[in-house]
Amino acid sequence: MITNVQQWLVEQGLPADYIEPVSLGIGIVILLTLCWLGFYIARHQVLNFVHKLVSKSANKWDDLLIQHSVFSRIAWLVPITILLVLSPVFLRQHALLLNVVEIFAKVALAIQVARSISSLLNVTNTAFQESSKEKYLPLNATIQVLKLAVYMVAIILAIATIIDKSPIYLLSGLGALTAVLLLVFQDTIKGLVASVQISANKMVAPGDWIEMPQYGADGDVLEIALNTVKVKNWDNTVTTIPTYALISESFKNWRGMTASGGRRIKRCIQIDLNSVHFCSTELLEKLLKVELLTPYLKQKHQEVEAYNAQKGEQDENNPNLRKLTNIGTFRAYITAYLKNHPKVHPEMTCMVRQLKPSETGVSLELYFFSNDTNWINYEGIQADVFDHLFAIAPLFELRLFQSPTGYDWQNALRH
């Protein structure tokens, strides 16, 4: 080809000193033009045709090939291949330049093949994540290990091409660098081992809500990669955690709460000890009008009457007689209220217990589970329950404890 060009230049009367550089320039232009034409046809003609076929297809996996630029990366192989194949034709008489171009083409070919394989691995990962119901398989970490291996092979081939040595020659030298490689890839190795253990033990999966205060993480797991785990916090920030930290340090996973269908509510009501007393006859008559308390009060009235009948005395001031307390009756009301609440999980623990009295009064702790684990709904259920209890406590002649405020001191001065 170059010979024909040179003959044509001689026929055109070009001086002999200019024939070789001009022919070389024409050969480079023709070679680059062919590479550009090959890329244009592959990228803008063939690829557009493929896109039209994919858009008409009912399959989803072929859409992923476009989404992850598989065809676009393969298209780059066309000009590189043309450069590698045709460079001897146009640059045969310039050995040094031909050698440089061939080395460049081979290195570019190795890297572009690695990028294309990486895109195919991304397609495999995405297709698996969208179709698989098993979230615990460490495919993401495995894909990243495969990518690392592909790129390492590409780099070894590229270096072997540049130094004109067999790839086996480079691989034989890696044995002496084992310690260095272990040091360089220690996080990768630990991440791979951690991914396998996380998967085998089903410790955490994308979508789980985890808390890891030492890393500032409190939210949903977005992705479990080879080296890091991404957590989207409730303030929409993203925290990255080393993957191996999930097996070397403690964290809280709320998956069990979500799977059970019930979320725990554990909160106290502080009662002023000075407001605790025995129920008077007037108070009991008033409380009998409360439907939730009617069965309890009737049962307790029978028990109290039977006990007091054995004593043979009916004097209300007799300390030996049995009486109901307003705080005990209030505790029974809370229990009945929770058991009849439509948002309280009926099959999980539900109790009201009295804690040790302190300088803030006596605490009634409510321990139950809502049947809605959604955060917004959960907070609404919790607020509604305690709003009601705060409002109804005075009916039992109980005072809720709180530290004195300016309003309390103003009332005290007025009286």
Side-chain angles (χ1 to χ4, degrees):
M1 181 68 182
I2 294 298
T3 303
N4 295 333
V5 173
Q6 290 177 347
Q7 291 177 355
W8 179 80
L9 291 175
V10 171
E11 293 174 358
Q12 300 300 317
L14 189 71
D17 294 340
Y18 294 98
I19 290 178
E20 184 174 347
V22 171
S23 63
L24 176 62
I26 293 175
I28 292 175
V29 170
I30 295 174
L31 179 61
L32 294 178
T33 301
L34 291 175
C35 291
W36 179 81
L37 285 175
F39 177 73
Y40 177 81
I41 295 173
R43 183 70 180 268
H44 298 285
Q45 301 299 323
V46 178
L47 195 56
N48 287 340
F49 177 72
V50 171
H51 283 185
K52 291 179 181 179
L53 291 180
V54 170
S55 62
K56 296 179 181 179
S57 173
N59 297 323
K60 294 184 178 180
W61 61 267
D62 49 7
D63 296 330
L64 297 178
L65 295 175
I66 296 177
Q67 178 183 337
H68 292 282
S69 304
V70 175
F71 297 123
S72 298
R73 293 187 178 185
I74 292 177
W76 277 101
L77 295 176
V78 175
I80 297 174
T81 304
I82 293 175
L83 181 64
L84 182 62
V85 172
L86 297 183
S87 57
V89 177
F90 293 94
L91 306 176
R92 182 182 306 168
Q93 297 178 354
H94 301 81
L96 180 60
L97 181 58
L98 175 60
N99 187 42
V100 172
V101 171
E102 286 183 340
I103 291 175
F104 170 78
K106 290 178 180 179
V107 171
L109 185 64
I111 294 175
Q112 196 58 33
V113 168
R115 294 182 72 237
S116 301
I117 295 175
S118 176
S119 296
L120 288 174
L121 291 174
N122 289 336
V123 171
T124 303
N125 188 29
T126 304
F128 176 82
Q129 297 297 339
E130 291 181 354
S131 62
S132 176
K133 297 181 180 180
E134 180 57 68
K135 300 185 294 181
Y136 299 100
L137 293 178
L139 185 64
N140 195 19
T142 305
I143 291 294
Q144 290 184 334
V145 171
L146 291 176
K147 285 184 181 180
L148 180 61
V150 168
Y151 278 110
M152 286 188 66
V153 171
I155 292 173
I156 290 174
L157 292 175
I159 295 175
T161 301
I162 293 173
I163 65 176
D164 194 21
K165 295 288 185 179
S166 172
I168 299 177
Y169 173 81
L170 294 177
L171 292 174
S172 63
L174 292 178
L177 298 176
T178 302
V180 177
L181 292 175
L182 289 176
L183 180 63
V184 172
F185 294 104
Q186 60 174 330
D187 290 340
T188 302
I189 295 172
K190 290 193 292 185
L192 177 60
V193 174
S195 298
V196 174
Q197 291 187 359
I198 290 171
S199 171
N201 299 322
K202 297 185 177 181
M203 297 170 61
V204 66
D208 287 354
W209 169 16
I210 67 171
E211 286 186 37
M212 210 166 183
Q214 59 270 40
Y215 288 93
D218 183 10
D220 292 334
V221 176
L222 294 179
E223 176 186 351
I224 302 177
L226 182 61
N227 292 322
T228 58
V229 175
K230 291 182 181 180
V231 178
K232 184 178 181 181
N233 301 313
W234 300 122
D235 57 359
N236 287 330
T237 59
V238 177
T239 300
T240 56
I241 304 170
T243 306
Y244 60 82
L246 293 178
I247 62 173
S248 62
E249 302 180 31
S250 63
F251 68 95
K252 181 187 290 186
N253 192 336
W254 289 82
R255 185 201 313 141
M257 177 271 295
T258 305
S260 67
R263 186 169 179 180
R264 189 186 71 174
I265 297 176
K266 181 183 178 182
R267 185 180 289 184
C268 293
I269 298 178
Q270 303 296 129
I271 304 295
D272 188 345
L273 278 170
N274 294 322
S275 65
V276 178
H277 57 75
F278 290 114
C279 293
S280 63
T281 303
E282 295 78 9
L283 177 59
L284 290 175
E285 290 178 354
K286 184 168 54 176
L287 294 179
L288 273 172
K289 299 178 181 179
V290 181
E291 291 183 1
L292 292 176
L293 275 177
T294 302
Y296 169 81
L297 290 177
K298 287 183 178 180
Q299 178 186 352
K300 287 297 181 181
H301 178 72
Q302 295 176 358
E303 294 177 4
V304 169
E305 288 294 325
Y307 179 85
N308 293 338
Q310 294 178 359
K311 296 293 183 180
E313 298 185 21
Q314 299 299 327
D315 185 4
E316 292 186 359
N317 296 322
N318 186 347
N320 295 319
L321 296 181
R322 184 176 174 182
K323 300 178 182 178
L324 298 180
T325 61
N326 59 345
I327 190 172
T329 306
F330 184 50
R331 190 157 40 86
Y333 172 79
I334 297 174
T335 302
Y337 175 75
L338 293 178
K339 290 186 178 298
N340 287 274
H341 198 289
K343 293 297 183 179
V344 175
H345 203 295
E347 298 178 0
M348 294 187 175
T349 304
C350 178
M351 68 175 178
V352 182
R353 61 174 182 167
Q354 186 179 126
L355 303 182
K356 180 181 178 181
S358 64
E359 65 275 7
T360 59
V362 60
S363 300
L364 293 182
E365 183 184 75
L366 281 67
Y367 189 104
F368 61 100
F369 291 79
S370 68
N371 57 13
D372 193 334
T373 59
N374 179 272
W375 189 12
I376 297 177
N377 299 337
Y378 164 81
E379 293 293 344
I381 295 168
Q382 184 172 229
D384 289 343
V385 169
F386 283 90
D387 288 348
H388 175 76
L389 297 179
F390 292 153
I392 204 170
L395 179 65
F396 295 81
E397 299 179 359
L398 290 169
R399 291 190 303 272
L400 302 181
F401 182 88
Q402 68 174 9
S403 299
T405 64
Y407 180 77
D408 297 320
W409 294 117
Q410 290 176 6
N411 285 342
L413 291 175
R414 288 172 185 169
H415 295 85

